[in-house]
Amino acid sequence: MTINSHQDHTASYYAATANKQTVYEQLNGHKKTDVSVIGAGFTGISTALHLAERGYKVHVLEANKVGWGASGRNGGQMIGGISGESRLSRDLSKINEKIVFEMGWQGHKIIRDRVKKYNIKCDLKNGYIDVAIKPKHVRDLENYSKVLDEYNFDFGQELLNRDEVRETLGTEKYIGGLKINYNGHLHPLNLCIGEADAASDLGVVINEKSPVTKIIHGAKPVVETSKGSVEADFVVLAGNAYHFLEPKLRGAVLPVKSFIIGSEPLSTDLVNRINPQDLAVCDPNYILEYFRLSADKRLLFGRRFPYFGDNPDIIKKALIPKMLQVYPILKNTEFEFGWGGTIGVTVNRVPQLGRISDNVFYSQGYSGHGVNVTHLAGQIMADIVGGTAERFDVFSKIKPVIFPGQHLFRNQLVSLGMLYYRLIDAL
Ligand SMILES: Cc1cc2nc3c(=O)[nH]c(=O)nc-3n(C[C@H](O)[C@H](O)[C@H](O)COP(=O)(O)OP(=O)(O)OC[C@H]3O[C@@H](n4cnc5c(N)ncnc54)[C@H](O)[C@@H]3O)c2cc1C
């Protein structure tokens, strides 16, 4: 794996090891299409690819670069389920509960199929473990394992006791775990770039460095940038936490930063001591810690802390002591990367898929659990454009709750929120 220097993405491990630098030209002039998509993260690109596979003409407008947002910066953990799943299922019949459960695993299939079909090199691997810190977490994992059993599907799950987790992860920190082999991990920026390539090969027009500044609603909505415009039958808003254009969605999603540090490549001896099975790992706290090894055996360790900038030194200084609580054995390891990204969090944690009008749809607010769900969402966006609303309506009937005063007091709200969740984690 070679390290290169791409300036347009944040200075992440992923940007440094991207398969290529995407070069899609800026929008220039007036264009017409079937569907215009705002945002080229997983939601936008996944939507575009699903639509193109069904024969639609699609035009994607991205303010920065393909995968520039959370999609190109995240922990790369492909984890089943949907954030807020119990809220989603609450008012549903048993049959529809099953639909929600199955939707929670659909993104994995879409990703695996695409990686294979389009030969996307993104270090996709099976293997994941949820770890427990308190006895309550162990009970939660036992219950979740039973739920997985009920669906009679080969998740390859296995409950581990304290000793087994210590052996699997080389740390004393956890008292139990649930290993799920159907989950996994991947290089998210390379996945997004590969999917964009596939979409482009199918005729999708992608414009980078083309921030949409205005949406003119109507029978044929028009989206405008400083140098051009696109008229379409449908518009899909896929800007997630970075999107502040549409007044009706303002305050629906709280942008919360999460940060990751990346080490130098670890020796085989260290790898064998801390993660010989190459699992992605997630703890159950609200302010959770997540980590895994990259393909070239760096530890990528992520966590939130109350900071709104992107200075790598500040990020490393905050996260390295947390990482050392898990792996004191890494006290002499160099950390070469430190970066952050913005997560779109909703009040009830349920992703928001809905409509602004008959021909303008949106999908956002995966609340930190988006690698698989964005891929499902893209499929559901393609469905609704085609007139099929069954799965879309499971989400759209839950109306977004607005965070009051968010555009004025965003950072204060995030700090307050973190304080609240730290208190809950401490209980
Ligand atoms: C640090 C971090 C770690 C995470 N770890 C995980 C993980 O391990 N597993 C997991 O499942 N999820 C994780 N997530 C969440 C996951 O990354 C997101 O849910 C998902 O990537 C959201 O994808 P998206 O396409 O909706 O948004 P984004 O990837 O943020 O893309 C939105 C895009 O829209 C563009 N845009 C916005 N406004 C406009 C405009 N006006 N005009 C044109 N373009 C616009 C932006 O430039 C951006 O590129 C993590 C997130 C972060 C930040």
Side-chain angles (χ1 to χ4, degrees):
M1 185 144 317
T2 49
I3 299 286
N4 40 46
S5 59
H6 295 157
Q7 295 306 315
D8 289 331
H9 289 282
T10 196
S12 71
Y13 160 75
Y14 302 124
T17 54
N19 289 335
K20 68 179 216 184
Q21 173 80 289
T22 54
V23 188
Y24 294 103
E25 60 190 30
Q26 263 188 312
L27 176 67
N28 231 315
H30 184 71
K31 314 283 174 194
K32 291 187 178 181
T33 189
D34 297 336
V35 186
S36 66
V37 176
I38 303 177
F42 284 146
T43 303
I45 292 296
S46 177
T47 301
L49 187 47
H50 281 295
L51 285 165
E53 286 170 337
R54 297 176 195 190
Y56 287 88
K57 273 174 69 186
V58 188
H59 199 129
V60 180
L61 294 165
E62 165 54 47
N64 302 291
K65 306 280 294 172
V66 166
W68 175 90
S71 301
R73 307 170 181 221
N74 61 55
Q77 306 212 359
M78 187 175 75
I79 309 170
I82 300 173
S83 171
E85 195 164 319
S86 53
R87 171 66 190 92
L88 262 180
S89 305
R90 199 171 74 189
D91 313 324
L92 298 173
S93 66
K94 272 277 165 222
I95 294 173
N96 284 334
E97 242 179 57
K98 185 160 182 269
I99 292 178
V100 171
F101 181 85
E102 285 171 355
M103 281 200 286
W105 297 89
Q106 178 67 14
H108 290 45
K109 178 166 167 35
I110 295 168
I111 291 170
R112 288 196 171 106
D113 287 352
R114 283 182 174 171
V115 165
K116 200 165 163 205
K117 181 171 174 187
Y118 299 112
N119 192 21
I120 299 174
K121 298 197 174 9
C122 63
D123 310 328
L124 175 61
K125 289 199 80 166
N126 288 2
Y128 167 84
I129 182 167
D130 277 311
V131 287
I133 298 170
K134 302 177 196 166
K136 175 192 176 306
H137 301 147
V138 174
R139 290 193 296 277
D140 289 346
L141 293 181
E142 286 166 356
N143 290 336
Y144 188 53
S145 181
K146 282 187 198 137
V147 172
L148 293 182
D149 277 340
E150 278 168 26
Y151 283 94
N152 198 21
F153 179 83
D154 188 10
F155 293 102
Q157 90 261 27
E158 189 188 342
L159 280 161
L160 304 188
N161 63 27
R162 183 195 281 261
D163 291 344
E164 289 164 331
V165 174
R166 189 192 303 118
E167 202 165 300
T168 306
L169 294 178
T171 171
E172 300 286 341
K173 185 160 181 187
Y174 308 114
I175 62 169
L178 177 64
K179 213 170 108 184
I180 304 177
N181 274 336
Y182 193 68
N183 286 333
H185 52 102
L186 48 80
H187 187 305
L189 182 57
N190 279 338
L191 174 61
C192 201
I193 289 172
E195 291 180 295
D197 275 349
S200 172
D201 288 346
L202 290 178
V204 171
V205 179
I206 300 173
N207 293 132
E208 295 183 321
K209 301 199 185 308
S210 302
V212 172
T213 50
K214 192 172 179 188
I215 304 169
I216 305 168
H217 293 275
K220 294 248 179 199
V222 177
V223 296
E224 289 185 351
T225 69
S226 62
K227 294 198 173 147
S229 55
V230 180
E231 180 181 326
D233 297 321
F234 297 96
V235 175
V236 175
L237 308 181
N240 199 25
Y242 296 95
H243 176 94
F244 300 107
L245 206 57
E246 177 55 48
K248 287 186 186 161
L249 293 182
R250 217 163 275 157
V253 159
L254 187 65
V256 173
K257 293 272 279 191
S258 187
F259 300 90
I260 299 179
I261 49 174
S263 74
E264 62 186 326
L266 302 180
S267 66
T268 309
D269 176 50
L270 277 174
V271 168
N272 287 339
R273 284 167 180 233
I274 70 166
N275 197 345
Q277 297 177 36
D278 203 1
L279 306 176
V281 187
C282 220
D283 84 22
N285 279 334
Y286 281 103
I287 303 189
L288 80 166
E289 291 178 352
Y290 49 95
F291 51 94
R292 69 181 182 95
L293 296 172
S294 63
D296 58 353
K297 306 301 173 205
R298 297 164 189 271
L299 179 72
L300 304 181
F301 179 95
R303 192 186 201 275
R304 282 182 216 161
F305 72 101
Y307 173 58
F308 303 98
D310 55 10
N311 181 327
D313 293 332
I314 294 178
I315 296 166
K316 287 182 211 170
K317 202 168 161 207
L319 264 63
I320 288 174
K322 301 289 180 193
M323 178 280 303
L324 286 175
Q325 286 172 12
V326 184
Y327 287 129
I329 196 176
L330 297 186
K331 65 178 185 305
N332 295 323
T333 300
E334 274 298 309
F335 275 76
E336 295 177 356
F337 297 94
W339 73 94
T342 307
I343 292 173
V345 177
T346 66
V347 168
N348 53 17
R349 305 233 150 195
V350 178
Q352 298 165 347
L353 281 69
R355 51 165 72 76
I356 303 285
S357 64
D358 286 346
N359 48 19
V360 179
F361 305 107
Y362 60 88
S363 179
Q364 60 183 21
Y366 311 96
S367 303
H369 190 151
V371 171
N372 69 329
V373 186
T374 46
H375 285 80
L376 163 78
Q379 194 177 54
I380 297 178
M381 288 292 111
D383 286 350
I384 191 67
V385 164
T388 301
E390 188 189 24
R391 295 185 303 172
F392 178 83
D393 282 345
V394 171
F395 292 89
S396 70
K397 67 182 182 46
I398 303 176
K399 296 293 167 220
V401 182
I402 303 296
F403 287 99
Q406 194 229 103
H407 53 298
L408 296 176
F409 307 115
R410 186 181 311 151
N411 291 352
Q412 289 89 332
L413 274 172
V414 171
S415 301
L416 261 179
M418 280 199 65
L419 187 64
Y420 170 74
Y421 286 121
R422 265 214 299 273
L423 285 172
I424 293 194
D425 287 340
L427 291 177

